[in-house]
Amino acid sequence: MFANRTGIRESNERTVLSVIVNDGPLSRANLSEKIGLNKASVSAIVKKLIEQNLIKETGIGESTVQGGRKPIMLELNKAAGFGISMDIGYDYIDTMVHYLDGTIRNRKLLPFRTIQKATIITELVNIIQEITAKLPKSPFGIVGLTIAIHGVIHNNQIIFTPAYDFTDFPLVEELQEHVDYPVFLENEANLLALSEHAKNRQDSNLVCISIHAGVGAGIMMNDTLYTGENGLSGEIGHMIVQANGNPCTCGGKGCLETYSSEKVILDTYRELSKKPKAIVPDLYQAYATNDPTAVKLIASMVDYLSIAVHNIITLYNPKVIAIHSEISRLIPDFPEKIKQQLPRLTAQNIEIKKVSLGEEAILFGASVVTISNFLEIPTFELKN
């Protein structure tokens, strides 16, 4: 694409492509007006992007109030290539193949998996072959793979993973031996933040809380993902909420995720209810029918998450906090329960909600990474 090229013309190409991706369908005249380039320059760039199969002419727009010929509209050629998104959870692998606009081509959830370093590369390669076997031919083929890791990621490397044995594991290098397209790694909470921001571009400052085996936060500050000095920012699961409390995999005691992660809540419910094979929907059904054990566990989860949310607001003062977990998706008023626990100072002027893109939010965030890197555009809007 645009790699290793600099200059005004290349910058203008990126700008034209970005506007078409985010605001299309648009006519050439619309583009000229939005970008501030003359019509001849816009037409030349459009011609080049069409020849590269990145955009296409589609349909006829409305003529102006002065009349005249109706304009030909331009939009991203979403089927010019495909991306792959993967979320490696503590006991599942969730996958999605998507078009260049982020929309789903196909999705496959593989639950109840044993995730371990010794077998993960073979498993991922087999999954990739399966989910891409029936893809149609396209100009660019598969343009990239982005993998959500539940742990600390820095410079596309795994630094720490509490849920599986991937700490310091060169996953990208080993997987790159089997595929001929870029592989990107990102923390799953950061991908949540990217998807939420791409879906709601007006929210420049937001935090997404991911609750699975651990608890993490993805932070968007002034439209930019904030990851800290070494990728550790947002690891709120290791925020201490109980002095000298439960031991944690990080080496600390009293960390948030030892009290309010989905895995901890479910494991505790299994033990107390004597139902060792219970899954989250079983816990929800018990809660919905006012089972005392389930009600107490959810109340405790909300209590500790409220502490974390209060601290996040005092640190980052976001406009929105969005929550993502299976439990929060099933309980309709889960965000409101957290907000009710907040003191007046932090409860005002904050929206607490579930993530906009539901169960697939992490996968959509991964698509944002893949597409933005392939098209080399700074921002990307999901229209799902």
Side-chain angles (χ1 to χ4, degrees):
M1 266 289 295
F2 300 111
N4 301 317
R5 304 195 312 174
T6 59
I8 297 299
R9 185 170 179 78
E10 288 71 26
S11 174
N12 287 340
E13 287 177 17
R14 290 189 181 94
T15 301
V16 168
L17 182 58
S18 180
V19 171
I20 292 172
V21 168
N22 289 306
D23 299 331
L26 293 168
S27 69
R28 289 166 175 79
N30 293 150
L31 280 169
S32 178
E33 185 178 345
K34 276 180 171 287
I35 297 168
L37 284 175
N38 62 60
K39 292 181 180 179
S41 296
V42 166
S43 292
I45 293 171
V46 164
K47 181 175 183 292
K48 189 171 186 179
L49 293 174
I50 290 174
E51 290 171 350
Q52 292 174 332
N53 291 303
L54 288 170
I55 65 173
K56 64 180 183 177
E57 296 180 330
T58 174
I60 305 295
E62 296 295 325
S63 59
T64 65
V65 291
Q66 289 82 17
R69 188 166 55 184
K70 292 183 178 181
I72 297 172
M73 307 302 283
L74 304 162
E75 68 178 14
L76 174 70
N77 182 13
K78 73 172 189 176
F82 302 94
I84 304 172
S85 297
M86 287 187 165
D87 174 15
I88 303 178
Y90 68 95
D91 66 350
Y92 69 86
I93 300 176
D94 202 358
T95 70
M96 179 175 84
V97 177
H98 59 84
Y99 294 99
L100 294 185
D101 65 349
T103 54
I104 299 174
R105 164 79 185 189
N106 57 272
R107 181 190 171 218
K108 186 168 187 177
L109 172 62
L110 304 164
F112 311 118
R113 316 288 284 202
T114 299
I115 307 298
Q116 53 188 6
K117 179 167 56 178
T119 58
I120 192 62
I121 297 299
T122 299
E123 191 167 14
L124 292 181
V125 170
N126 289 337
I127 292 169
I128 290 168
Q129 290 174 346
E130 179 183 351
I131 64 177
T132 61
K134 296 182 180 180
L135 287 181
K137 289 186 178 181
S138 61
F140 295 100
I142 297 172
V143 302
L145 161 65
T146 298
I147 302 175
I149 299 293
H150 294 236
V152 180
I153 305 297
H154 185 58
N155 290 334
N156 218 33
Q157 298 291 324
I158 301 172
I159 307 302
F160 172 69
T161 53
Y164 32 67
D165 61 342
F166 287 7
T167 298
D168 295 327
F169 174 48
L171 190 150
V172 171
E173 289 80 354
E174 293 204 14
L175 191 56
Q176 205 75 74
E177 293 178 7
H178 301 273
V179 300
D180 59 357
Y181 41 80
V183 177
F184 306 101
L185 302 183
E186 187 54 89
N187 168 269
E188 102 284 354
N190 288 343
L191 293 177
L192 279 178
L194 288 172
S195 70
E196 190 68 26
H197 181 259
K199 183 64 177 175
N200 301 287
R201 293 282 303 284
Q202 73 278 7
D203 297 334
S204 300
N205 297 288
L206 62 87
V207 174
C208 286
I209 299 177
S210 173
I211 308 166
H212 294 91
V215 182
I219 303 160
M220 296 294 298
M221 299 176 63
N222 299 323
D223 297 311
T224 302
L225 182 67
Y226 179 74
T227 58
E229 187 69 21
N230 302 300
L232 196 61
S233 180
E235 287 295 318
I236 64 168
H238 303 292
M239 177 190 299
I240 294 175
V241 294
Q242 187 73 53
N244 299 312
N246 296 338
C248 181
T249 54
C250 74
K253 291 183 178 180
C255 291
L256 173 69
E257 67 183 41
T258 68
Y259 294 93
S260 64
S261 75
E262 201 163 75
K263 184 177 186 301
V264 164
I265 297 298
L266 182 57
D267 286 347
T268 305
Y269 175 72
R270 286 170 172 168
E271 180 181 352
L272 295 177
S273 66
K274 309 289 194 247
K275 297 176 180 178
K277 295 184 178 181
I279 56 178
V280 170
D282 299 322
L283 169 60
Y284 168 70
Q285 286 299 325
Y287 171 81
T289 55
N290 293 315
D291 174 80
T293 299
V295 170
K296 186 175 181 179
L297 283 172
I298 297 300
S300 176
M301 182 184 188
V302 168
D303 285 344
Y304 282 108
L305 287 174
S306 299
I307 294 171
V309 168
H310 170 76
N311 291 342
I312 287 169
I313 296 171
T314 58
L315 285 169
Y316 298 107
N317 189 30
K319 177 182 178 182
V320 173
I321 293 180
I323 298 170
H324 179 72
S325 75
E326 189 174 1
I327 289 175
S328 66
R329 285 197 301 274
L330 290 170
I331 299 176
D333 61 344
F334 194 88
E336 185 59 30
K337 287 181 179 296
I338 292 174
K339 189 167 184 177
Q340 288 171 356
Q341 298 271 36
L342 298 178
R344 186 173 61 85
L345 175 67
T346 51
Q348 59 187 352
N349 302 320
I350 181 77
E351 180 184 2
I352 303 176
K353 65 174 188 176
K354 301 176 186 181
V355 294
S356 300
L357 293 168
E359 187 179 355
E360 297 94 354
I362 292 172
L363 297 175
F364 281 123
S367 77
V368 171
V369 172
T370 299
I371 294 165
S372 296
N373 275 278
F374 172 66
L375 297 180
E376 293 194 11
I377 56 177
T379 58
F380 176 65
E381 182 176 350
L382 286 170
K383 299 175 182 177
N384 309 74

